[in-house]
Amino acid sequence: MDSRTPVVRADMYAEWVSQTESIQVVTSPTDVLNAFTPGVSRTVVEAVVTFLEKTISSSSTLTTPGQVQWTMQIIGYGLTLPIVTEEPLVNNCVEIYRDWLSALYSPKPCVPPPIILDPNFYAQLIFEQFTEVFSPLQGSCPVSDGHVSLCYKVLQVAHTLVKESSVRFSLETWHTFLKSLLRIANNILAPPLQPNDSIGSKLHEHVIHVFFESWLRACAECFPTPVYWKTLRELCCCWRHHPSLIQCWNSLLLSLSLRVVSLLYSPSHLSCLSLPLQEDQDFKQMVACLRDDALVQAWFRTLHTLGDVVDLCHAERVVSVSTTPQGVTTEKEGQPPVGQTRRLELLPGIFHDAMRGVAQLVFLFLGINFSSSSHYPGGGNPFETQLPTTPGLVHHSPAARRKEIKMDKANVNVQKSSHSRFYVNIPLAASKLSESTSVIRPEGNTLLHLFGSWLFGATTWPSMQTADGTSTLGHVSQPQLQPMDFEAGRAEALRALCAIFSAQHCGVPFLPIYLARFYQALCYGLQYDPETCSGQMVIFIILSSTSLFRKDLQSINVMVPYFLPMLEFILAGKTNFGYEVKMEELRHAAIQILSCLLCHPYHFLNQPLPDLLCASAGGSLYPTGQQTTPTFISLKGRILRLLFVAIQDEQDPKNLHLLLQSLHVIIKDIATYEGVAEAVASPSAGHTSDGKPIPGDGNPDLIFGDEDLHLAVLFEKACGAATTCLLTQKWECNTLVSLSALELISGLAELNIEDIHHSVTRDIVVSICTYIEGLALKEILRHSKILHTCIVAAFKALLDFISWHPYTLSSQRCLTKIMKVVELGISGAFSEDPKGHVVYKGLKELKPISGRVKEIAEFVFASVMERVGSFPSPSGPAAPSSLVTEEDLLTRLPSDKKDQARFWYYIVDNSMVLALLEKGFTEQKDALPTVSVIIRSPSGRHVWTMQLRNHPRSEASPNKHLHGTARPCLNPTPMSTPVPIYRSPWPDSVNQQPMMTVDGSIPTLEDTLGEELRSVHETVVTLVEQQIEAESRSHDKVHDVTRGRPFPDPDLAQESPEPRTEFETARLFLSHLGLMGIEGVQTDPQSRLPPLAMLDSTRDFFHTQLASLDSLPTRFCNTVFVLYCKRGNTQVSDILSGQDSLNDKPNEFVEFFNGLGWAVDPAHHPGFAGRLHPSIFKEGCGPVEAQIPHHSFPYHATIMTEVAFVMPTLGLGTIGSTTSVHSHESSELGPGPEPLHGDTFLSGKGVMSPEMVGGGGGGGGGGECDRTSSSNLGSRFKVGGASMDAETPRLRGSLQCGDHDCAAMVVWLENFEDHTHFPLEAMTNLLHSPTHMSSTSKTGGKKALPTIFIHKLSSGLYQIAVRMPSGRNEVSAGPLVDGMVVSRRTLSLLVRQTTINICSRFRMESEWHTNISTPFTNRKRKIEEFSNLFSRPVEVAEFFKKLFTCEVK
């Protein structure tokens, strides 16, 4: 069907004459017995019927056609007898005819031979006479159960003939059969509505079902002529006051539509319907018998059987049909017709059922799950609701309905009945149109050609009064119908319209007339007045419009000012609808719509917001006195305020997650705009162009002031909202909310906002630490994997935040708090208990909360000590560790020192490998003692060169202290010989004092000596005298010799020794570190190695394992595969073959791709360059392979993560060839990773000068240093007694990320609908095999990488779709969430942040059941493994012997 050609159906049967009048007119009987008195006639009937009943088991005696026809006149008269008094006789007549009709399929013995010979002729007579059973007791006459039973028996006869497949009617028989059924149905269903105890009220459902089933059989056997179709439509328009007719019409259309859809769009169109639609089995069997051409005709004609269903909401059109089957009205003077009041009471419910049936067809054609039984009271399909006999019990009168609404509003906050009439029956699945819509579906214009007139007509207000104010129902004394009575049906129509426009085909616009009418319908549907409506239309619009602002609908932005007040009403905590609804679902839909409007203020800026209500003369959106038209930028304050209020009031975790991510997006958009558009002149946000506050819903609380819109204030409010969520007990262990709040804090931390007060950032750090502390100190029984995941995520967010705000560490409060939570994460307890008792490190028992919490705490501690405040390193952000290796240091040694150069290798505390080189890098003879140290620790590789200096660097010569000092000049005055001076040991006054007796009390030495000692004493005295004499002679002799020599004597002058050029600087360096003591080299009984142990560098594979250690990353590595998918590409090979070049890509994609990071050249890039985990994948006739081309790509790195954005292309060779980038994992002692050609090392003043300072992490500052190729190095160098190839890979030449690196995909779509059949699983197998990121072994679901789809809208905004692997958490990380619409300026930034967060969440989720550790822990384990392989435990004496004899070199 051409979507540009509207369907003309108003005069579909204009050229045909209907038989309505002939059916409605009651003709006089012409039977022969009518000429006799009733008594005689009854006697004849009784005699004939009794005789036939007695001979029913034998052959019939009626052998001629005349006999049969005369007998049929007798039986026909018997069918007209009063059933109340002659029920048995009439029943016998029916039984006789039922037996005779068996001649059509399997004749019984009692059937007369003429009937067997021509069954169709006699069947026509029987069908005409059967109608008499339904005609005698018309209207309000009481009816007996026997009469109802007889009618059921006649209907059962007709049903048996229809169900019997062997029955073959002639054309005339079909016409008579259908005409008889039409007359029967009209007798039962024609207005006015009959009383509850009438035959019509008891038979209408069965009559309608048998009639339509028979009609379907006629369509299969002998398609009814337009005359009968026109007659059916006219009569059905008279029967529309019966709810059962609408229900049967819905069921019949459902059965027909299911087969029509399968015929037009293939059965796969219905495969997306997860819930089977309930079909009538009888209808289903009949529909299956229809030919394809008859099927389509029957469907289209049945669709219009009821005429214009919009008439059902216009009471005057329904009331105007009041003709009885006899053609006589029952209206009396001054009173309404019989049953007319009850017909009016049923109209709102009937209109609702009819529009719900139309909506069902729309959703069926779109392939959308229309309903879920769990969302309807009592379950089941809403289209098969069984109405009780008394219609008033279900479809209340308008006055009762309005009374219920008012009562419901009064009690909505007190108690809501589960059986309330206003319980919403809209499932949440219906609001996710973009996800559940079938790809193979009709165009929106086509559906609007079919159903548009009904849907648009139903959304307009029905008029109940004429121009002069009088009612169009003049004689009706009951309360008039009000528009709110038809609100349910109008809501269904709006819901169907939203579904059609939300399922727009990409690149296929709607006709302008349809768009205009749709926008007008939305404008009126979103006008909510609690006094006149229940809010059902608003609810249905919100639930069904979540995808509207994601579509390329022309001028859809004009609807923003109409949706925003309703979003404020729903999300700002003021909801008071009279229609009961699950508020979690309603708020979720409102938040989804709001997430599509976040970037509108700065994208459309000064574009005015039109007033469609004023343009259509139906009211005004803005205040009457307002002179200026608001612009889109004026909505900024309202959206921000709404987000903050909604976050504060939200109680559902999924909704809160979406709100936090939306807040993240809008603040990033504001910050990016203010950074690139400072000169743009725009009105003050939150005000109109003339400075007046923007119009809203009348609530000034929803308007931000200028001071509240400052970026620093928004940063403070957003982080405050996030920390509030973290510290709220309700959300602290909810991963959905906690992780979203932490992602918000991490994302906003990188904003370069100058006006942020330091106290704000410090409070944020303290809040995160408080959150960690609160979770960690919970009772052990409350600990779980989810709680530990929240702690790990909090540590990561803490590190992210302080890395962007390192000044927070200067605060004693922040630093103390950080160190406390780090200690708590590592050891499981604080060193100081609440009583002030301190437990020192050596005495504390380590009981960490969990292994992964301990690992992340160690990583945070190492980063705080080494990287925070010094990132990026001098090597650039791509290399937090030094790029210098042993071969680089040996290469820069002077030529005369290369042969003697050796490295000493030690292991310190079993966690750090030291490589010491004692040679300096200069040929000067007076070089200072120099030692170069390569430190390999869990945090990376660091290179330092140190010198022993005794003078500051400002001195001209560093060896000044090694040169001798010149003697001072001599005094020109000749030296005189010194006169010896004798100094007494006693004062001179001692000899002048007189001796006293007491002085002699102490004997002299001679007096105390005995005979033996006296001789010894004399010998000693003699020796002393001889020595004095010898010294005197020697002194005199020297004096005589030196008397004639000059002074100073040049032969005897002392000179400074030559400076030493060979030093044992390694031993000196270790001594300065305090490792050379006995306790430093003595083995602890509790450990295998001492604090300082030697490594045997002469063993095999020593340097291979060293290179393997260097290749381990120091940060989390992520690979993001960026793909450009052209329209219609569904094969992996087709998609990859188009990724070779950016030249043929749109400028928007090139800008997006380049904005993902810094462009780096893989030949000179020291960081992570992306990684494939390919597996064999076959497509078509052969295997398909992928590769990462060696051209520049975007790269981004932070203190904790590095991401490579690569565009994989179609491989040329086999998987594993050199054309593909594959990682070769080294075995324990096997060869290490192959080098990447063109790998470079750091050169320049940071490394090659004799005074190298600081490797990675050792100094501040940024910028990349110059790098040159190392391909011209010498062939081999000796390192530690072993040979080392010059081609040994550098630190980042080939990162061994193991199986723990994560990946994601970003796909740019030309046609957004291609995302539904994008080969996710096949592409995942080709790029990143299922053993990695996409593994879902625990759930057994399909394996696919997390994927972000991007599509550009015609407005310049971008639609986002996020698909997570099956079996994992369906809610993805932020800030981008499925269904968001973002601006061009923030697209790259948000996609990059989202991919990083997705990979981070994957690691935390995988840690539950796999061994995924931090890079810090992986390197720590590798060092321990390295130590076990190459350490040499020796005794203390042996250690020092080897050290002093240089045997360890």
Side-chain angles (χ1 to χ4, degrees):
M1 183 181 297
D2 189 355
S3 63
R4 297 170 296 178
T5 306
V7 178
V8 179
R9 53 179 175 268
D11 52 353
M12 185 164 48
Y13 308 113
E15 299 179 357
W16 304 91
V17 180
S18 72
Q19 299 181 2
T20 304
E21 293 184 1
S22 63
I23 291 175
Q24 290 180 339
V25 174
V26 179
T27 59
S28 300
T30 59
D31 296 333
V32 65
L33 293 182
N34 287 301
F36 300 94
T37 61
V40 175
S41 300
R42 181 193 177 283
T43 302
V44 174
V45 170
E46 183 178 11
V48 172
V49 170
T50 302
F51 174 78
L52 292 177
E53 280 292 321
K54 292 179 180 180
T55 61
I56 193 171
S57 59
S58 60
S59 300
S60 177
T61 59
L62 304 176
T63 58
T64 64
Q67 294 174 352
V68 174
Q69 293 178 12
W70 180 85
T71 305
M72 292 184 67
Q73 290 188 19
I74 303 300
I75 297 175
Y77 181 84
L79 294 176
T80 63
L81 295 175
I83 300 180
V84 177
T85 59
E86 304 294 342
E87 178 183 344
L89 186 58
V90 178
N91 182 63
N92 291 336
C93 294
V94 173
E95 290 292 341
I96 292 171
Y97 272 171
R98 183 169 66 176
D99 293 339
W100 287 6
L101 285 175
S102 65
L104 292 169
Y105 52 94
S106 179
K108 294 182 179 181
C110 62
V111 178
I115 297 179
I116 297 177
L117 293 176
D118 191 5
N120 281 282
F121 172 75
Y122 294 100
Q124 297 172 27
L125 298 177
I126 295 175
F127 294 153
E128 291 178 351
Q129 293 180 2
F130 265 159
T131 60
E132 301 298 331
V133 178
F134 298 87
S135 58
L137 297 178
Q138 276 284 336
S140 58
C141 299
V143 62
S144 64
D145 293 338
H147 191 182
V148 174
S149 177
L150 284 175
C151 293
Y152 267 110
K153 185 175 293 186
V154 172
L155 293 175
Q156 185 62 34
V157 171
H159 187 260
T160 302
L161 293 176
V162 171
K163 296 288 289 185
E164 186 63 43
S165 60
S166 61
V167 174
R168 290 295 182 267
F169 288 167
S170 64
L171 179 61
E172 294 77 8
T173 305
W174 271 117
H175 289 171
T176 304
F177 182 65
L178 293 179
K179 194 171 182 179
S180 300
L181 288 177
L182 285 171
R183 181 174 286 110
I184 292 173
N186 191 62
N187 290 339
I188 299 298
L189 303 175
L193 193 65
Q194 300 176 12
N196 297 334
D197 58 350
S198 66
I199 187 172
S201 63
K202 297 183 178 182
L203 292 177
H204 61 88
E205 292 185 10
H206 195 57
V207 168
I208 293 172
H209 189 275
V210 172
F211 172 76
F212 279 110
E213 188 176 355
S214 303
W215 196 272
L216 280 179
R217 178 66 186 274
C219 293
E221 297 293 337
C222 178
F223 198 83
T225 63
V227 172
Y228 285 92
W229 280 106
K230 184 174 184 178
T231 303
L232 174 63
R233 187 174 71 172
E234 290 181 355
L235 291 176
C236 285
C237 290
C238 298
W239 306 339
R240 291 181 299 187
H241 57 282
H242 287 277
S244 55
L245 175 66
I246 307 301
Q247 295 174 10
C248 189
W249 180 69
N250 288 334
S251 299
L252 177 58
L253 276 178
L254 174 61
S255 299
L256 289 169
S257 300
L258 284 173
R259 193 177 163 206
V260 168
V261 168
S262 299
L263 176 64
L264 295 178
Y265 307 106
S266 78
S268 62
H269 178 83
L270 303 176
S271 61
C272 62
L273 302 178
S274 59
L275 294 176
L277 297 175
Q278 299 296 325
E279 292 186 76
D280 187 285
Q281 294 302 317
D282 293 333
F283 288 161
K284 183 177 181 181
Q285 294 176 5
M286 292 300 173
V287 171
C289 300
L290 294 175
R291 301 185 309 274
D292 292 346
D293 55 345
L295 171 69
V296 177
Q297 289 292 324
W299 175 84
F300 187 75
R301 294 170 188 268
T302 304
L303 178 66
H304 300 285
T305 298
L306 297 182
D308 189 354
V309 295
V310 180
D311 293 345
L312 295 174
C313 68
H314 295 272
E316 69 278 4
R317 301 179 188 176
V318 179
V319 172
S320 62
V321 183
S322 59
T323 304
T324 64
Q326 292 79 8
V328 181
T329 62
T330 59
E331 181 179 355
K332 296 183 179 180
E333 186 72 24
Q335 293 188 7
V338 177
Q340 181 169 282
T341 301
R342 296 173 59 209
R343 290 171 61 196
L344 294 179
E345 293 175 355
L346 293 177
L347 276 185
I350 293 174
F351 175 66
H352 179 210
D353 290 341
M355 294 314 303
R356 190 162 55 180
V358 175
Q360 178 191 29
L361 299 182
V362 171
F363 278 69
L364 181 62
F365 275 98
L366 293 176
I368 301 174
N369 292 320
F370 180 78
S371 63
S372 174
S373 60
S374 61
H375 289 80
Y376 292 86
N381 194 321
F383 300 104
E384 294 187 350
T385 304
Q386 299 297 323
L387 297 179
T389 306
T390 305
L393 295 179
V394 172
H395 299 288
H396 300 258
S397 65
R401 190 195 327 276
R402 289 190 290 271
K403 182 178 180 181
E404 286 182 3
I405 293 177
K406 293 180 179 180
M407 292 177 62
D408 186 70
K409 290 178 181 178
N411 301 323
V412 70
N413 295 323
V414 180
Q415 183 177 8
K416 297 182 178 180
S417 173
S418 59
H419 300 285
S420 173
R421 161 172 180 75
F422 301 104
Y423 187 84
V424 68
N425 44 16
I426 294 290
L428 183 61
S431 64
K432 299 181 180 179
L433 300 178
S434 60
E435 296 182 11
S436 58
T437 306
S438 174
V439 178
I440 307 174
R441 61 181 185 272
E443 295 181 4
N445 288 324
T446 302
L447 291 177
L448 292 175
H449 295 338
L450 288 172
F451 309 106
S453 62
W454 293 346
L455 297 176
F456 289 126
T459 58
T460 58
W461 290 103
S463 177
M464 294 297 161
Q465 293 183 342
T466 59
D468 57 358
T470 61
S471 172
T472 58
L473 313 176
H475 52 266
V476 179
S477 61
Q478 297 295 326
Q480 297 181 8
L481 296 175
Q482 299 296 330
M484 70 179 300
D485 298 322
F486 298 93
E487 186 179 2
R490 296 183 64 224
E492 292 289 353
L494 286 169
R495 177 191 183 191
L497 286 173
C498 292
I500 293 175
F501 284 89
S502 296
Q504 178 198 23
H505 283 270
C506 187
V508 181
F510 284 94
L511 295 179
I513 183 62
Y514 288 149
L515 283 173
R517 296 195 66 182
F518 176 59
Y519 294 158
Q520 183 184 31
L522 287 180
C523 289
Y524 286 106
L526 290 170
Q527 303 303 308
Y528 173 61
D529 184 1
E531 299 298 327
T532 60
C533 59
S534 64
Q536 187 174 358
M537 289 186 299
V538 174
I539 293 172
F540 277 47
I541 290 175
I542 296 299
L543 288 174
S544 304
S545 302
T546 54
S547 301
L548 279 182
F549 291 96
R550 308 170 190 166
K551 301 298 180 180
D552 267 329
L553 298 177
Q554 184 180 0
S555 304
I556 184 61
N557 300 317
V558 301
M559 298 307 303
V560 173
Y562 296 91
F563 273 90
L564 193 56
M566 286 297 100
L567 300 184
E568 293 171 342
F569 184 81
I570 294 171
L571 298 177
K574 304 179 299 181
T575 309
N576 188 22
F577 289 115
Y579 192 92
E580 186 174 350
V581 61
K582 292 183 178 180
M583 287 308 302
E584 294 81 5
E585 297 180 1
L586 183 62
R587 289 179 66 88
H588 184 80
I591 296 169
Q592 283 187 308
I593 297 175
L594 183 62
S595 68
C596 299
L597 309 179
L598 301 175
C599 300
H600 281 59
Y602 278 117
H603 183 75
F604 296 102
L605 284 174
N606 297 325
Q607 180 177 333
L609 297 170
D611 188 355
L612 300 183
L613 291 179
C614 181
S616 60
S620 178
L621 177 66
Y622 308 119
T624 306
Q626 184 170 329
Q627 299 179 354
T628 59
T629 302
T631 58
F632 273 91
I633 190 63
S634 64
L635 301 177
K636 170 187 172 183
R638 293 178 67 180
I639 294 177
L640 285 169
R641 171 65 180 174
L642 181 57
L643 282 173
F644 284 114
V645 173
I647 290 174
Q648 182 179 359
D649 298 338
E650 189 55 60
Q651 301 298 321
D652 183 74
K654 289 185 178 180
N655 294 346
L656 186 55
H657 155 77
L658 187 54
L659 285 169
L660 292 173
Q661 305 298 1
S662 300
L663 183 61
H664 191 170
V665 170
I666 191 173
I667 294 181
K668 282 286 183 67
D669 187 69
I670 294 173
T672 307
Y673 175 82
E674 292 184 357
V676 299
E678 298 177 356
V680 175
S682 60
S684 299
H687 294 75
T688 58
S689 56
D690 60 352
K692 297 180 180 179
I694 62 173
D697 62 347
N699 186 0
D701 295 337
L702 291 178
I703 301 176
F704 266 21
D706 291 339
E707 67 280 357
D708 296 325
L709 295 174
H710 193 275
L711 195 56
V713 178
L714 293 178
F715 174 87
E716 180 180 357
K717 288 180 176 292
C719 292
T723 54
T724 301
C725 293
L726 292 176
L727 299 178
T728 302
Q729 186 177 4
K730 180 179 181 180
W731 306 122
E732 61 180 6
C733 289
N734 188 297
T735 55
L736 194 58
V737 176
S738 299
L739 297 185
S740 299
L742 293 171
E743 288 169 359
L744 174 61
I745 295 174
S746 299
L748 297 183
E750 64 185 41
L751 296 179
N752 186 18
I753 305 175
E754 299 179 354
D755 300 334
I756 299 178
H757 198 276
H758 287 188
S759 62
V760 175
T761 56
R762 291 168 184 164
D763 290 341
I764 295 172
V765 171
V766 173
S767 297
I768 298 176
C769 295
T770 303
Y771 172 69
I772 298 174
E773 182 179 338
L775 294 182
L777 294 180
K778 286 185 177 296
E779 299 177 0
I780 190 64
L781 295 179
R782 299 182 61 184
H783 280 232
S784 63
K785 294 179 179 179
I786 294 179
L787 182 140
H788 297 163
T789 298
C790 294
I791 297 177
V792 172
F795 269 117
K796 291 182 178 180
L798 176 64
L799 180 56
D800 263 340
F801 193 87
I802 61 177
S803 66
W804 290 103
H805 301 276
Y807 56 83
T808 55
L809 297 181
S810 62
S811 168
Q812 183 68 25
R813 175 189 174 204
C814 290
L815 185 58
T816 303
K817 200 74 173 177
I818 293 173
M819 291 297 103
K820 279 189 174 182
V821 296
V822 167
E823 177 191 19
L824 183 61
I826 295 175
S827 64
F830 293 120
S831 295
E832 184 177 359
D833 57 18
K835 297 181 180 180
H837 178 67
V838 177
V839 180
Y840 294 99
K841 175 181 177 181
L843 302 177
K844 182 186 293 185
E845 184 179 2
L846 295 181
K847 291 183 178 180
I849 301 170
S850 71
R852 55 194 181 117
V853 172
K854 176 177 179 290
E855 292 174 2
I856 193 64
E858 291 176 343
F859 183 66
V860 171
F861 179 70
S863 300
V864 169
M865 301 301 294
E866 299 181 11
R867 295 182 183 177
V868 175
S870 59
F871 181 83
S873 68
S875 302
S881 298
S882 175
L883 301 177
V884 180
T885 60
E886 285 86 347
E887 65 178 68
D888 298 327
L889 295 178
L890 293 176
T891 302
R892 295 301 173 176
L893 288 176
S895 57
D896 60 338
K897 298 182 180 180
K898 289 183 179 180
D899 295 337
Q900 296 82 19
R902 297 290 185 273
F903 276 93
W904 298 20
Y905 286 94
Y906 297 92
I907 183 75
V908 178
D909 291 333
N910 204 29
S911 62
M912 184 182 301
V913 178
L914 299 182
L916 306 179
L917 177 65
E918 294 183 328
K919 302 298 182 181
F921 297 94
T922 178
E923 297 182 358
Q924 299 178 8
K925 295 182 178 180
D926 57 351
L928 296 176
T930 303
V931 62
S932 296
V933 186
I934 300 179
I935 306 172
R936 291 177 171 87
S937 66
S939 61
R941 184 176 65 193
H942 313 279
V943 181
W944 292 85
T945 297
M946 290 158 281
Q947 294 175 333
L948 180 61
R949 283 182 169 274
N950 294 310
H951 295 275
R953 293 181 180 273
S954 59
E955 294 289 344
S957 175
N959 297 329
K960 179 179 179 181
H961 66 288
L962 300 179
H963 299 285
T965 304
R967 290 185 177 276
C969 298
L970 296 177
N971 191 351
T973 303
M975 292 181 60
S976 57
T977 303
V979 179
I981 301 176
Y982 174 77
R983 298 186 181 278
S984 174
W986 310 102
D988 295 340
S989 60
V990 172
N991 296 328
Q992 298 176 2
Q993 296 296 328
M995 296 293 292
M996 300 180 65
T997 305
V998 70
D999 292 333
S1001 61
I1002 301 175
T1004 61
L1005 180 61
E1006 290 79 2
D1007 296 339
T1008 60
L1009 295 177
E1011 292 297 333
E1012 296 179 0
L1013 295 178
R1014 188 177 300 278
S1015 59
V1016 176
H1017 174 68
E1018 292 176 355
T1019 303
V1020 172
V1021 171
T1022 303
L1023 291 176
V1024 171
E1025 292 176 352
Q1026 292 175 359
Q1027 181 63 28
I1028 293 174
E1029 182 179 357
E1031 290 179 0
S1032 299
R1033 289 195 304 268
S1034 177
H1035 181 271
D1036 294 340
K1037 183 178 180 180
V1038 171
H1039 180 71
D1040 293 340
V1041 173
T1042 60
R1043 184 179 298 174
R1045 297 181 64 86
F1047 181 81
D1049 190 348
D1051 296 334
L1052 302 179
Q1054 296 182 358
E1055 297 180 357
S1056 300
E1058 290 293 331
R1060 183 173 179 178
T1061 58
E1062 296 294 333
F1063 306 96
E1064 295 182 0
T1065 52
R1067 180 164 53 87
L1068 184 61
F1069 171 75
L1070 295 175
S1071 299
H1072 285 180
L1073 294 180
L1075 299 174
M1076 293 301 294
I1078 299 297
E1079 64 281 357
V1081 298
Q1082 190 172 14
T1083 303
D1084 190 342
Q1086 299 180 356
S1087 61
R1088 190 182 68 88
L1089 294 175
L1092 178 66
M1094 300 177 182
L1095 295 177
D1096 188 0
S1097 60
T1098 61
R1099 293 185 58 185
D1100 296 337
F1101 302 115
F1102 177 86
H1103 297 290
T1104 300
Q1105 290 297 311
L1106 202 62
S1108 178
L1109 171 62
D1110 290 340
S1111 65
L1112 290 179
T1114 59
R1115 296 175 290 188
F1116 296 108
C1117 300
N1118 302 325
T1119 303
V1120 179
F1121 302 104
V1122 183
L1123 300 172
Y1124 184 89
C1125 183
K1126 297 182 179 179
R1127 181 183 295 269
N1129 282 357
T1130 59
Q1131 299 296 323
V1132 172
S1133 56
D1134 296 337
I1135 297 173
L1136 292 181
S1137 61
Q1139 313 300 320
D1140 296 331
S1141 174
L1142 293 176
N1143 297 331
D1144 59 342
K1145 305 296 187 299
N1147 293 333
E1148 294 84 359
F1149 174 76
V1150 177
E1151 177 185 345
F1152 159 73
F1153 183 70
N1154 293 331
L1156 291 171
W1158 316 298
V1160 296
D1161 184 0
H1164 303 280
H1165 175 54
F1168 183 64
R1171 188 169 184 232
L1172 288 173
H1173 290 281
S1175 64
I1176 298 177
F1177 173 73
K1178 292 184 178 181
E1179 182 180 74
C1181 58
V1184 179
E1185 304 153 15
Q1187 67 177 11
I1188 298 179
H1190 287 276
H1191 55 63
S1192 60
F1193 61 90
Y1195 170 85
H1196 182 78
T1198 64
I1199 196 172
M1200 189 166 49
T1201 307
E1202 50 184 334
V1203 190
F1205 298 90
V1206 297
M1207 293 182 64
T1209 60
L1210 202 61
L1212 301 178
T1214 60
I1215 295 180
S1217 65
T1218 56
T1219 60
S1220 300
V1221 177
H1222 304 297
S1223 296
H1224 305 278
E1225 303 298 335
S1226 61
S1227 62
E1228 186 179 71
L1229 293 175
E1234 297 179 0
L1236 181 67
H1237 294 291
D1239 184 29
T1240 58
F1241 59 91
L1242 188 63
S1243 63
K1245 56 186 178 181
V1247 173
M1248 300 311 169
S1249 65
E1251 300 174 358
M1252 287 185 293
V1253 290
E1264 295 188 9
C1265 301
D1266 297 334
R1267 292 186 285 270
T1268 59
S1269 175
S1270 60
S1271 59
N1272 57 353
L1273 297 178
S1275 60
R1276 302 180 71 83
F1277 295 104
K1278 295 180 180 179
V1279 181
S1283 62
M1284 182 172 66
D1285 197 335
E1287 294 298 328
T1288 300
R1290 299 319 195 265
L1291 169 66
R1292 310 310 293 262
S1294 178
L1295 288 178
Q1296 292 184 11
C1297 299
D1299 292 342
H1300 302 154
D1301 58 321
C1302 297
M1305 271 196 297
V1306 176
V1307 182
W1308 185 288
L1309 299 172
E1310 287 185 355
N1311 181 12
F1312 183 73
E1313 294 177 0
D1314 290 341
H1315 85 279
T1316 57
H1317 49 76
F1318 184 84
L1320 277 178
E1321 186 175 359
M1323 192 69 74
T1324 298
N1325 291 333
L1326 189 61
L1327 301 178
H1328 220 255
S1329 61
T1331 58
H1332 297 82
M1333 178 71 176
S1334 58
S1335 177
T1336 55
S1337 58
K1338 279 222 161 188
T1339 59
K1342 291 185 177 180
K1343 302 171 179 62
L1345 287 175
T1347 306
I1348 301 176
F1349 294 98
I1350 303 171
H1351 172 67
K1352 181 184 178 183
L1353 302 176
S1354 58
S1355 61
L1357 296 173
Y1358 293 85
Q1359 180 182 2
I1360 303 297
V1362 182
R1363 296 294 176 267
M1364 297 299 292
S1366 175
R1368 294 194 178 275
N1369 191 352
E1370 294 181 358
V1371 181
S1372 66
L1376 290 182
V1377 181
D1378 184 38
M1380 276 190 172
V1381 176
V1382 298
S1383 63
R1384 178 178 180 177
R1385 58 183 164 271
T1386 58
L1387 180 62
S1388 300
L1389 175 64
L1390 295 175
V1391 168
R1392 181 179 67 226
Q1393 186 66 39
T1394 303
T1395 54
I1396 292 175
N1397 291 339
I1398 286 176
C1399 294
S1400 178
R1401 286 203 183 188
F1402 162 76
R1403 290 189 182 91
M1404 288 187 292
E1405 181 181 352
S1406 299
E1407 286 168 356
W1408 294 7
H1409 50 81
T1410 59
N1411 185 21
I1412 293 186
S1413 301
T1414 63
F1416 182 90
T1417 305
N1418 292 334
R1419 290 183 59 87
K1420 181 179 179 181
R1421 293 171 181 169
K1422 185 65 177 180
I1423 292 175
E1424 293 175 354
E1425 175 188 349
F1426 187 82
S1427 173
N1428 294 334
L1429 290 174
F1430 303 106
S1431 60
R1432 297 189 301 179
V1434 295
E1435 298 295 334
V1436 176
E1438 183 70 14
F1439 179 88
F1440 284 108
K1441 176 184 177 183
K1442 292 179 178 293
L1443 181 65
F1444 285 102
T1445 57
C1446 301
E1447 294 182 8
V1448 298
K1449 297 180 182 179

